Amino acid sequence: MKKIIGILALSLVFALSSNAQQKKQRKHKRADFTPEQIATLQSKKMALHFDLNANQQKEVYKLMKSQATDRKGKMAEFKERKEKGVKPSDAEKFEFQNNILDKKITHKAEMKKILNQSQFEKWEKMQRLKMKKGKKELQRGKRGAMNQQKRLKK
């Protein structure tokens, strides 16, 4: 009986340690691309999906590169603030959300200039599907689990 309990305890320890190692490996799985690489990948995906011509592809590349550069800068800023332990005030949170919405509006206007009517309609449909998918992931807990843990700490 003691041997069985010992074996079960030992197997439990191995299972937990291997699970923790897998989580660490998954966490570092994401590649750290440069803004140019991100823009190249996104513009090529759009070229395949929307059948863009060479001029449209160049314009999309410029737009995606500027977005990726901004995003990298903001991520570095947030990381720095997190390491310092500085939390944004309500006014800063509002400003951040307002800036995001302004950027989305300008991005949509730029895409409308670059794409033709049928391509733009297809792009809008794809954006709506991405939004729905993101909301479902939040509800299922993929991204929401981390937010929930943060709320529980407070």
Side-chain angles (χ1 to χ4, degrees):
M1 185 71 175
K2 288 182 182 180
K3 288 183 181 181
I4 293 173
I5 292 174
I7 291 172
L8 286 174
L10 192 59
S11 63
L12 181 65
V13 168
F14 283 126
L16 290 176
S17 65
S18 66
N19 189 24
Q21 288 176 356
Q22 287 174 353
K23 283 184 181 180
K24 284 182 183 179
Q25 289 173 352
R26 275 186 260 138
K27 188 175 184 179
H28 298 289
K29 193 175 184 178
R30 181 173 234 162
D32 190 27
F33 293 125
T34 64
E36 291 81 14
Q37 291 172 324
I38 292 169
T40 301
L41 293 173
Q42 287 179 336
S43 62
K44 286 185 177 183
K45 284 179 185 178
M46 286 186 69
L48 289 171
H49 193 72
F50 300 114
D51 195 30
L52 302 179
N53 61 34
N55 188 35
Q56 287 175 319
Q57 196 170 352
K58 287 178 187 175
E59 293 295 318
V60 167
Y61 174 80
K62 289 178 190 175
L63 183 62
M64 296 300 169
K65 184 178 175 185
S66 69
Q67 275 191 334
T69 305
D70 289 345
R71 195 170 33 248
K72 282 279 187 182
K74 289 290 184 188
M75 284 172 51
E77 181 184 321
F78 285 130
K79 188 175 183 179
E80 184 179 308
R81 289 183 81 159
K82 187 176 180 181
E83 288 173 355
K84 290 181 180 179
V86 178
K87 292 189 177 185
S89 67
D90 288 340
E92 290 173 327
K93 288 178 185 177
F94 172 77
E95 185 180 331
F96 177 71
Q97 290 292 325
N98 196 26
N99 287 339
I100 287 176
L101 292 173
D102 288 341
K103 286 179 184 179
K104 283 183 179 183
I105 292 169
T106 56
H107 179 73
K108 186 175 182 177
E110 289 293 321
M111 291 303 291
K112 194 169 190 173
K113 288 179 189 176
I114 296 169
L115 302 175
N116 64 33
Q117 185 65 30
S118 64
Q119 290 170 332
F120 183 72
E121 288 172 2
K122 194 173 180 181
W123 179 80
E124 277 190 313
K125 184 177 180 181
M126 188 177 79
Q127 295 300 311
R128 283 192 298 271
L129 290 174
K130 281 184 180 181
M131 291 292 286
K132 283 183 182 179
K133 183 180 176 186
K135 286 180 182 180
K136 284 182 182 179
E137 286 178 359
L138 280 174
Q139 289 173 350
R140 278 193 287 156
K142 282 190 176 181
R143 285 188 262 165
M146 290 192 319
N147 291 336
Q148 187 178 13
Q149 288 175 354
K150 288 179 185 176
R151 279 184 256 142
L152 292 175
K153 287 181 181 179
K154 291 179 181 179

